Amino acid sequence: QELVNPGVSSSPDNIPQQNPQTPPTIQDHYVVFSTTLSSFARPQDYDYLAPLVARNWHVVGNFTPIVVVVATQASHIDAVQTVWKSSGLLPSHTILLPLVTTPEWAITVAQMSRLYAAAFLTPNEVPDHAYLRVTDADMMIARAKPFVAPANPSVDISIYNGKCCLGANPVHFNPNGNNNNTTTPTNVTKSCNQYPMHSVGMKVAHWRTLFPVPHANNNNTTAPQNLTQHIVQLAHDYFGYGTHVNDVQAPTVLKHGAGSQWYMDQVLLGCTIDQANAEGYHLELPPAGSRIHVWNAVPGTETKKKVPTAASHSIWNRDQKLSVQLASPTMKAPPLDDIHLATFRLSQHGAWMNRLVQHTTVLQGYQTAYQDYTRLWKSTYQKPLQ
Protein backbone atom coordinates (compact mmCIF):
# COMPACT_ATOMS: atom_id res chain seq x y z
CA GLN A 1 0.00 0.00 0.00
CA GLU A 2 1.54 3.29 -1.12
CA LEU A 3 1.42 6.19 1.28
CA VAL A 4 -0.49 8.63 -0.91
CA ASN A 5 -3.84 10.32 -0.63
CA PRO A 6 -6.84 8.06 -1.29
CA GLY A 7 -8.28 7.96 -4.78
CA VAL A 8 -5.97 10.53 -6.35
CA SER A 9 -3.53 9.90 -9.15
CA SER A 10 -0.37 11.92 -8.82
CA SER A 11 0.46 11.72 -12.51
CA PRO A 12 1.57 15.05 -14.00
CA ASP A 13 -0.76 14.30 -16.93
CA ASN A 14 -3.72 15.07 -14.66
CA ILE A 15 -2.45 18.57 -13.89
CA PRO A 16 -3.45 21.58 -16.01
CA GLN A 17 -0.24 22.30 -17.90
CA GLN A 18 1.02 25.85 -18.32
CA ASN A 19 3.13 27.09 -21.22
CA PRO A 20 6.66 26.02 -20.22
CA GLN A 21 8.00 29.27 -21.67
CA THR A 22 5.96 31.34 -19.19
CA PRO A 23 6.95 30.32 -15.65
CA PRO A 24 5.34 32.06 -12.66
CA THR A 25 6.33 35.70 -12.33
CA ILE A 26 7.61 37.13 -9.08
CA GLN A 27 4.08 38.45 -8.46
CA ASP A 28 2.79 34.87 -8.50
CA HIS A 29 4.86 33.53 -5.60
CA TYR A 30 3.33 32.42 -2.30
CA VAL A 31 4.78 31.01 0.91
CA VAL A 32 2.85 29.14 3.60
CA PHE A 33 3.76 28.38 7.21
CA SER A 34 1.80 27.72 10.38
CA THR A 35 1.82 28.54 14.06
CA THR A 36 -0.10 27.49 17.15
CA LEU A 37 -1.46 29.79 19.84
CA SER A 38 -1.53 28.25 23.29
CA SER A 39 0.53 27.17 26.26
CA PHE A 40 0.26 23.50 25.23
CA ALA A 41 2.42 24.19 22.18
CA ARG A 42 6.19 24.28 22.16
CA PRO A 43 7.67 26.92 24.43
CA GLN A 44 9.13 28.78 21.43
CA ASP A 45 7.52 32.09 20.51
CA TYR A 46 6.48 31.16 16.99
CA ASP A 47 3.30 33.21 17.28
CA TYR A 48 5.49 36.27 17.87
CA LEU A 49 7.66 35.37 14.86
CA ALA A 50 4.73 34.97 12.43
CA PRO A 51 4.52 38.58 11.14
CA LEU A 52 8.32 38.88 11.09
CA VAL A 53 8.67 35.79 8.92
CA ALA A 54 5.75 36.85 6.71
CA ARG A 55 7.23 40.30 6.11
CA ASN A 56 10.70 38.85 5.58
CA TRP A 57 9.57 36.56 2.75
CA HIS A 58 7.74 39.49 1.19
CA VAL A 59 10.61 41.98 1.56
CA VAL A 60 13.30 39.64 0.31
CA GLY A 61 11.43 37.55 -2.28
CA ASN A 62 8.09 39.32 -2.90
CA PHE A 63 6.21 36.22 -1.71
CA THR A 64 2.58 36.59 -0.68
CA PRO A 65 2.38 35.02 2.82
CA ILE A 66 -0.21 32.41 3.77
CA VAL A 67 -0.26 31.96 7.55
CA VAL A 68 -2.17 29.07 9.13
CA VAL A 69 -3.12 29.98 12.71
CA VAL A 70 -4.19 27.10 14.96
CA ALA A 71 -5.76 27.60 18.39
CA THR A 72 -8.30 26.07 20.72
CA GLN A 73 -10.53 29.15 20.67
CA ALA A 74 -11.45 31.48 17.82
CA SER A 75 -11.17 34.45 20.18
CA HIS A 76 -7.44 33.75 20.62
CA ILE A 77 -6.95 33.92 16.87
CA ASP A 78 -8.93 37.16 16.60
CA ALA A 79 -6.89 38.74 19.38
CA VAL A 80 -3.48 37.83 18.00
CA GLN A 81 -4.42 38.91 14.48
CA THR A 82 -5.29 42.34 15.86
CA VAL A 83 -1.81 42.63 17.36
CA TRP A 84 -0.14 41.33 14.19
CA LYS A 85 -1.91 43.85 11.98
CA SER A 86 -1.70 46.89 14.22
CA SER A 87 1.99 47.69 13.65
CA GLY A 88 1.97 47.33 9.88
CA LEU A 89 4.57 44.58 10.02
CA LEU A 90 2.26 41.89 8.65
CA PRO A 91 1.81 42.46 4.88
CA SER A 92 -1.70 43.72 4.19
CA HIS A 93 -2.33 41.07 1.51
CA THR A 94 -1.39 38.18 3.81
CA ILE A 95 -3.85 35.27 3.63
CA LEU A 96 -4.74 34.11 7.15
CA LEU A 97 -6.22 30.63 7.61
CA PRO A 98 -7.69 30.22 11.12
CA LEU A 99 -8.19 26.65 12.35
CA VAL A 100 -9.74 25.76 15.70
CA THR A 101 -9.12 22.35 17.23
CA THR A 102 -8.44 20.64 20.56
CA PRO A 103 -5.13 20.76 22.47
CA GLU A 104 -4.43 17.11 21.62
CA TRP A 105 -4.48 17.81 17.89
CA ALA A 106 -3.27 21.41 17.63
CA ILE A 107 0.40 20.84 16.76
CA THR A 108 -0.39 18.01 14.35
CA VAL A 109 -3.03 20.10 12.59
CA ALA A 110 -0.61 23.04 12.35
CA GLN A 111 2.15 20.88 10.90
CA MET A 112 -0.03 19.04 8.42
CA SER A 113 -2.15 21.99 7.26
CA ARG A 114 0.75 23.50 5.34
CA LEU A 115 0.73 20.59 2.90
CA TYR A 116 -2.97 21.09 2.20
CA ALA A 117 -3.14 24.89 2.12
CA ALA A 118 -3.22 25.02 -1.69
CA ALA A 119 -6.14 22.61 -1.84
CA PHE A 120 -7.93 24.49 0.92
CA LEU A 121 -7.75 27.78 -1.01
CA THR A 122 -9.71 28.22 -4.24
CA PRO A 123 -8.14 28.99 -7.64
CA ASN A 124 -9.64 32.46 -7.38
CA GLU A 125 -7.63 33.01 -4.21
CA VAL A 126 -4.41 31.34 -5.37
CA PRO A 127 -4.24 30.42 -9.08
CA ASP A 128 -3.03 27.02 -10.30
CA HIS A 129 -0.08 28.50 -12.20
CA ALA A 130 1.28 30.30 -9.10
CA TYR A 131 4.36 29.00 -7.27
CA LEU A 132 4.01 27.99 -3.61
CA ARG A 133 6.71 27.33 -1.04
CA VAL A 134 5.91 25.41 2.14
CA THR A 135 8.22 26.48 4.92
CA ASP A 136 8.58 26.64 8.71
CA ALA A 137 7.48 29.44 11.01
CA ASP A 138 11.05 29.72 12.29
CA MET A 139 12.75 30.31 8.93
CA MET A 140 13.72 33.63 7.36
CA ILE A 141 15.44 34.07 4.01
CA ALA A 142 18.33 36.39 3.17
CA ARG A 143 18.01 36.29 -0.62
CA ALA A 144 15.34 35.24 -3.08
CA LYS A 145 17.17 33.18 -5.69
CA PRO A 146 17.22 29.79 -3.91
CA PHE A 147 13.48 29.97 -3.18
CA VAL A 148 11.71 31.44 -6.20
CA ALA A 149 10.46 29.21 -9.03
CA PRO A 150 13.35 27.37 -10.70
CA ALA A 151 14.65 28.88 -13.93
CA ASN A 152 14.32 25.45 -15.54
CA PRO A 153 10.59 25.13 -16.41
CA SER A 154 10.83 21.32 -16.45
CA VAL A 155 11.41 21.20 -12.67
CA ASP A 156 8.16 20.20 -10.95
CA ILE A 157 9.33 20.04 -7.33
CA SER A 158 12.25 21.91 -5.79
CA ILE A 159 13.35 21.13 -2.23
CA TYR A 160 15.94 23.46 -0.76
CA ASN A 161 18.70 21.51 1.00
CA GLY A 162 16.80 18.44 -0.19
CA LYS A 163 19.77 16.07 0.01
CA CYS A 164 20.28 16.66 3.71
CA CYS A 165 18.40 13.60 4.91
CA LEU A 166 18.21 11.17 2.01
CA GLY A 167 18.69 7.45 2.53
CA ALA A 168 16.82 4.33 3.52
CA ASN A 169 14.76 5.75 6.34
CA PRO A 170 12.19 3.20 7.56
CA VAL A 171 8.76 4.68 8.18
CA HIS A 172 6.24 2.80 10.27
CA PHE A 173 2.59 3.52 9.69
CA ASN A 174 -0.61 1.65 10.39
CA PRO A 175 -3.27 2.22 7.74
CA ASN A 176 -5.71 0.08 9.71
CA GLY A 177 -8.79 1.33 7.93
CA ASN A 178 -9.86 1.42 4.35
CA ASN A 179 -7.63 3.20 1.85
CA ASN A 180 -8.52 3.26 -1.83
CA ASN A 181 -11.35 0.81 -1.07
CA THR A 182 -8.92 -1.95 -0.16
CA THR A 183 -8.21 -3.35 3.26
CA THR A 184 -4.59 -2.82 4.15
CA PRO A 185 -2.52 -4.62 6.79
CA THR A 186 -1.30 -3.01 9.95
CA ASN A 187 2.31 -2.43 11.00
CA VAL A 188 3.49 -1.66 7.49
CA THR A 189 7.08 -0.53 7.07
CA LYS A 190 8.03 1.56 4.04
CA SER A 191 11.32 3.18 3.12
CA CYS A 192 10.92 6.79 2.04
CA ASN A 193 13.32 9.67 1.75
CA GLN A 194 13.12 12.28 4.46
CA TYR A 195 12.93 15.80 3.03
CA PRO A 196 13.20 19.03 5.03
CA MET A 197 9.97 21.00 5.37
CA HIS A 198 12.00 24.16 4.74
CA SER A 199 11.43 24.51 2.06
CA VAL A 200 9.43 22.66 -0.60
CA GLY A 201 8.33 24.51 -3.71
CA MET A 202 6.09 23.63 -6.63
CA LYS A 203 3.26 25.06 -8.69
CA VAL A 204 -0.02 25.31 -6.86
CA ALA A 205 -1.58 22.86 -9.33
CA HIS A 206 0.93 20.22 -8.24
CA TRP A 207 0.20 20.84 -4.56
CA ARG A 208 -3.53 20.47 -5.19
CA THR A 209 -3.03 17.18 -7.01
CA LEU A 210 -0.57 15.59 -4.58
CA PHE A 211 -2.23 16.85 -1.38
CA PRO A 212 -5.99 17.23 -2.02
CA VAL A 213 -8.73 18.04 0.47
CA PRO A 214 -12.33 16.86 0.03
CA HIS A 215 -14.61 19.77 -0.78
CA ALA A 216 -17.40 20.56 1.64
CA ASN A 217 -19.96 21.77 -0.89
CA ASN A 218 -20.73 22.24 -4.56
CA ASN A 219 -18.98 25.61 -4.66
CA ASN A 220 -15.59 23.89 -4.74
CA THR A 221 -14.69 25.31 -1.33
CA THR A 222 -13.62 23.67 1.91
CA ALA A 223 -14.70 24.77 5.38
CA PRO A 224 -11.96 25.00 8.04
CA GLN A 225 -13.50 22.19 10.07
CA ASN A 226 -13.31 19.94 7.00
CA LEU A 227 -9.59 20.59 6.63
CA THR A 228 -9.04 19.82 10.32
CA GLN A 229 -11.13 16.65 10.10
CA HIS A 230 -9.28 15.60 6.94
CA ILE A 231 -5.97 15.79 8.80
CA VAL A 232 -7.39 13.78 11.70
CA GLN A 233 -8.67 11.21 9.21
CA LEU A 234 -5.20 10.89 7.69
CA ALA A 235 -3.82 10.22 11.17
CA HIS A 236 -6.29 7.37 11.44
CA ASP A 237 -5.83 5.97 7.94
CA TYR A 238 -2.04 5.96 7.93
CA PHE A 239 -1.01 5.94 11.56
CA GLY A 240 -3.82 4.24 13.45
CA TYR A 241 -5.07 7.11 15.59
CA GLY A 242 -8.70 7.87 16.41
CA THR A 243 -10.98 9.35 13.79
CA HIS A 244 -12.54 12.14 15.86
CA VAL A 245 -10.93 15.48 16.56
CA ASN A 246 -11.86 15.11 20.23
CA ASP A 247 -10.27 11.67 20.55
CA VAL A 248 -8.18 11.74 23.72
CA GLN A 249 -5.87 9.06 22.32
CA ALA A 250 -4.34 11.58 19.95
CA PRO A 251 -0.83 12.54 21.08
CA THR A 252 0.21 16.16 21.06
CA VAL A 253 2.79 15.41 18.37
CA LEU A 254 2.77 12.30 16.18
CA LYS A 255 6.26 10.87 15.74
CA HIS A 256 7.11 7.75 13.82
CA GLY A 257 10.16 5.86 12.56
CA ALA A 258 12.68 3.57 14.16
CA GLY A 259 14.36 6.17 16.30
CA SER A 260 14.34 8.71 13.47
CA GLN A 261 11.66 10.83 15.16
CA TRP A 262 9.85 11.83 12.00
CA TYR A 263 6.82 14.01 12.26
CA MET A 264 3.70 12.91 10.44
CA ASP A 265 3.96 15.72 7.89
CA GLN A 266 7.50 14.62 7.02
CA VAL A 267 6.32 11.04 6.50
CA LEU A 268 3.51 12.07 4.18
CA LEU A 269 5.71 14.52 2.32
CA GLY A 270 8.57 12.07 1.84
CA CYS A 271 6.50 9.14 0.67
CA THR A 272 4.30 11.30 -1.57
CA ILE A 273 7.28 13.05 -3.20
CA ASP A 274 9.06 9.74 -3.76
CA GLN A 275 6.02 8.31 -5.51
CA ALA A 276 5.49 11.45 -7.57
CA ASN A 277 9.12 11.35 -8.64
CA ALA A 278 8.75 7.71 -9.67
CA GLU A 279 5.67 8.62 -11.72
CA GLY A 280 7.39 11.33 -13.72
CA TYR A 281 7.61 14.49 -11.65
CA HIS A 282 10.99 16.16 -12.09
CA LEU A 283 12.56 16.60 -8.65
CA GLU A 284 15.29 19.14 -7.96
CA LEU A 285 17.32 19.06 -4.72
CA PRO A 286 19.49 22.19 -4.64
CA PRO A 287 22.06 22.28 -1.83
CA ALA A 288 21.83 24.65 1.10
CA GLY A 289 23.95 27.76 0.99
CA SER A 290 25.34 29.74 3.88
CA ARG A 291 22.98 29.93 6.84
CA ILE A 292 22.91 30.97 10.47
CA HIS A 293 21.10 29.35 13.39
CA VAL A 294 19.89 31.02 16.53
CA TRP A 295 20.93 27.88 18.44
CA ASN A 296 24.51 28.43 17.25
CA ALA A 297 24.62 31.69 19.14
CA VAL A 298 27.29 30.17 21.34
CA PRO A 299 27.76 31.06 25.02
CA GLY A 300 30.90 32.99 25.76
CA THR A 301 32.34 36.18 27.12
CA GLU A 302 32.79 39.29 25.08
CA THR A 303 36.54 39.64 24.87
CA LYS A 304 38.95 41.03 22.35
CA LYS A 305 39.73 37.48 21.28
CA LYS A 306 36.56 37.48 19.16
CA VAL A 307 37.72 39.36 16.09
CA PRO A 308 35.93 39.62 12.72
CA THR A 309 37.47 37.46 10.03
CA ALA A 310 37.59 37.98 6.29
CA ALA A 311 34.44 35.91 5.92
CA SER A 312 32.23 37.16 8.72
CA HIS A 313 31.79 39.50 11.61
CA SER A 314 30.26 38.96 15.02
CA ILE A 315 27.13 40.52 16.40
CA TRP A 316 26.96 40.07 20.13
CA ASN A 317 24.07 39.90 22.51
CA ARG A 318 25.65 41.32 25.66
CA ASP A 319 22.72 40.42 27.90
CA GLN A 320 22.70 36.73 27.01
CA LYS A 321 26.38 36.45 26.02
CA LEU A 322 25.41 35.08 22.64
CA SER A 323 27.01 35.68 19.26
CA VAL A 324 26.04 34.92 15.72
CA GLN A 325 28.17 34.97 12.59
CA LEU A 326 26.64 37.09 9.87
CA ALA A 327 28.04 37.46 6.39
CA SER A 328 29.41 40.97 6.12
CA PRO A 329 28.28 43.05 3.14
CA THR A 330 31.68 44.74 3.13
CA MET A 331 33.71 41.53 3.00
CA LYS A 332 34.01 38.77 0.43
CA ALA A 333 31.89 36.03 1.96
CA PRO A 334 29.50 33.36 0.70
CA PRO A 335 26.01 34.86 0.29
CA LEU A 336 23.71 34.13 3.18
CA ASP A 337 20.63 32.13 2.15
CA ASP A 338 18.52 31.71 5.27
CA ILE A 339 18.24 32.19 9.01
CA HIS A 340 16.99 29.31 11.17
CA LEU A 341 15.17 30.47 14.30
CA ALA A 342 14.36 27.10 15.89
CA THR A 343 14.16 27.32 19.69
CA PHE A 344 13.61 31.10 19.48
CA ARG A 345 12.36 32.68 22.70
CA LEU A 346 11.76 36.40 22.78
CA SER A 347 12.91 36.61 26.39
CA GLN A 348 16.22 34.92 25.56
CA HIS A 349 16.91 36.00 21.98
CA GLY A 350 15.25 39.41 21.75
CA ALA A 351 18.52 41.35 21.64
CA TRP A 352 19.90 38.83 19.13
CA MET A 353 16.88 39.38 16.88
CA ASN A 354 17.14 43.14 17.24
CA ARG A 355 20.73 43.09 16.01
CA LEU A 356 19.81 40.77 13.16
CA VAL A 357 17.09 43.16 12.01
CA GLN A 358 19.23 46.29 12.44
CA HIS A 359 22.40 44.95 10.78
CA THR A 360 20.98 42.94 7.87
CA THR A 361 18.34 43.38 5.18
CA VAL A 362 15.97 40.64 6.43
CA LEU A 363 13.35 43.31 7.27
CA GLN A 364 14.72 46.18 5.21
CA GLY A 365 12.48 49.23 5.47
CA TYR A 366 10.50 47.81 8.40
CA GLN A 367 12.94 48.17 11.29
CA THR A 368 10.73 50.73 13.02
CA ALA A 369 7.61 48.61 12.49
CA TYR A 370 9.52 45.66 13.99
CA GLN A 371 10.39 47.67 17.10
CA ASP A 372 6.82 48.94 17.49
CA TYR A 373 5.43 45.43 17.07
CA THR A 374 7.86 43.95 19.58
CA ARG A 375 6.94 46.53 22.21
CA LEU A 376 3.24 45.91 21.60
CA TRP A 377 3.71 42.14 21.81
CA LYS A 378 5.55 42.37 25.11
CA SER A 379 2.90 44.62 26.61
CA THR A 380 0.05 42.42 25.36
CA TYR A 381 1.41 38.93 25.96
CA GLN A 382 3.45 38.71 29.11
CA LYS A 383 2.77 34.98 29.09
CA PRO A 384 1.48 32.50 26.48
CA LEU A 385 -2.23 32.31 25.79
CA GLN A 386 -3.94 29.91 28.16
Side-chain angles (χ1 to χ4, degrees):
Q1 179 69 29
E2 296 294 331
L3 186 55
V4 295
N5 292 301
V8 177
S9 171
S10 59
S11 170
D13 294 335
N14 294 331
I15 301 173
Q17 297 299 305
Q18 303 295 321
N19 185 336
Q21 302 305 318
T22 57
T25 66
I26 194 65
Q27 288 78 23
D28 295 322
H29 283 66
Y30 294 78
V31 61
V32 60
F33 61 89
S34 63
T35 184
T36 55
L37 308 178
S38 200
S39 57
F40 59 77
R42 304 181 207 177
Q44 287 76 36
D45 294 323
Y46 288 179
D47 43 4
Y48 162 79
L49 288 176
L52 277 70
V53 173
R55 177 60 72 178
N56 164 253
W57 279 80
H58 183 253
V59 165
V60 176
N62 203 29
F63 284 79
T64 295
I66 302 170
V67 184
V68 182
V69 191
V70 181
T72 57
Q73 296 181 33
S75 60
H76 288 172
I77 298 177
D78 294 339
V80 80
Q81 287 183 13
T82 299
V83 175
W84 286 350
K85 295 176 181 179
S86 61
S87 68
L89 192 60
L90 187 74
S92 60
H93 57 295
T94 299
I95 300 173
L96 295 172
L97 300 182
L99 298 177
V100 177
T101 186
T102 61
E104 293 80 14
W105 285 100
I107 294 179
T108 296
V109 167
Q111 290 173 331
M112 292 288 293
S113 61
R114 298 174 294 173
L115 299 175
Y116 296 93
F120 178 80
L121 296 166
T122 68
N124 288 333
E125 294 171 303
V126 180
D128 278 343
H129 74 271
Y131 190 75
L132 174 64
R133 279 271 172 187
V134 167
T135 191
D136 295 328
D138 58 8
M139 301 299 286
M140 286 183 174
I141 59 174
R143 63 190 187 113
K145 185 177 179 180
F147 307 103
V148 297
N152 182 353
S154 68
V155 174
D156 298 305
I157 305 169
S158 179
I159 305 179
Y160 176 75
N161 195 27
K163 295 182 179 179
C164 75
C165 316
L166 300 182
N169 296 305
V171 178
H172 302 289
F173 58 97
N174 302 298
N176 58 349
N178 209 327
N179 273 336
N180 297 331
N181 298 319
T182 59
T183 302
T184 53
T186 59
N187 299 318
V188 177
T189 298
K190 181 178 176 62
S191 290
C192 299
N193 283 307
Q194 183 177 5
Y195 300 105
M197 292 297 292
H198 172 71
S199 63
V200 184
M202 57 180 117
K203 285 186 178 181
V204 170
H206 293 348
W207 282 110
R208 287 177 172 144
T209 297
L210 295 176
F211 297 96
V213 177
H215 294 304
N217 52 49
N218 294 329
N219 295 326
N220 204 37
T221 59
T222 302
Q225 62 266 29
N226 290 82
L227 176 58
T228 300
Q229 188 58 46
H230 177 62
I231 293 171
V232 174
Q233 189 67 46
L234 288 172
H236 165 74
D237 290 345
Y238 296 130
F239 302 99
Y241 290 99
T243 58
H244 195 274
V245 71
N246 293 319
D247 195 321
V248 295
Q249 295 179 356
T252 302
V253 178
L254 306 182
K255 290 186 177 182
H256 301 273
S260 60
Q261 296 298 288
W262 286 32
Y263 290 103
M264 193 170 78
D265 55 345
Q266 291 176 298
V267 175
L268 288 175
L269 176 74
C271 293
T272 301
I273 294 298
D274 281 355
Q275 178 168 321
N277 188 33
E279 293 181 356
Y281 280 73
H282 183 184
L283 178 62
E284 177 188 65
L285 303 175
S290 178
R291 56 170 42 175
I292 56 175
H293 297 262
V294 68
W295 66 58
N296 284 344
V298 295
T301 57
E302 197 157 339
T303 68
K304 294 182 179 180
K305 293 181 180 180
K306 196 69 176 182
V307 182
T309 66
S312 63
H313 67 278
S314 294
I315 292 179
W316 288 84
N317 177 337
R318 294 177 182 271
D319 296 332
Q320 301 297 327
K321 296 182 179 179
L322 302 177
S323 69
V324 63
Q325 298 296 322
L326 299 175
S328 171
T330 61
M331 302 177 186
K332 293 182 179 180
L336 185 66
D337 279 355
D338 63 315
I339 301 98
H340 196 179
L341 303 171
T343 75
F344 181 88
R345 296 298 303 275
L346 182 57
S347 60
Q348 298 176 7
H349 304 118
W352 182 95
M353 175 62 75
N354 186 61
R355 292 168 193 245
L356 177 72
V357 171
Q358 299 303 324
H359 292 274
T360 71
T361 59
V362 294
L363 290 178
Q364 188 171 30
Y366 289 88
Q367 288 89 345
T368 300
Y370 152 77
Q371 293 173 341
D372 292 342
Y373 165 71
T374 300
R375 284 193 292 267
L376 178 60
W377 183 271
K378 288 180 178 179
S379 65
T380 305
Y381 297 116
Q382 298 299 323
K383 60 182 180 179
L385 290 171
Q386 299 299 316

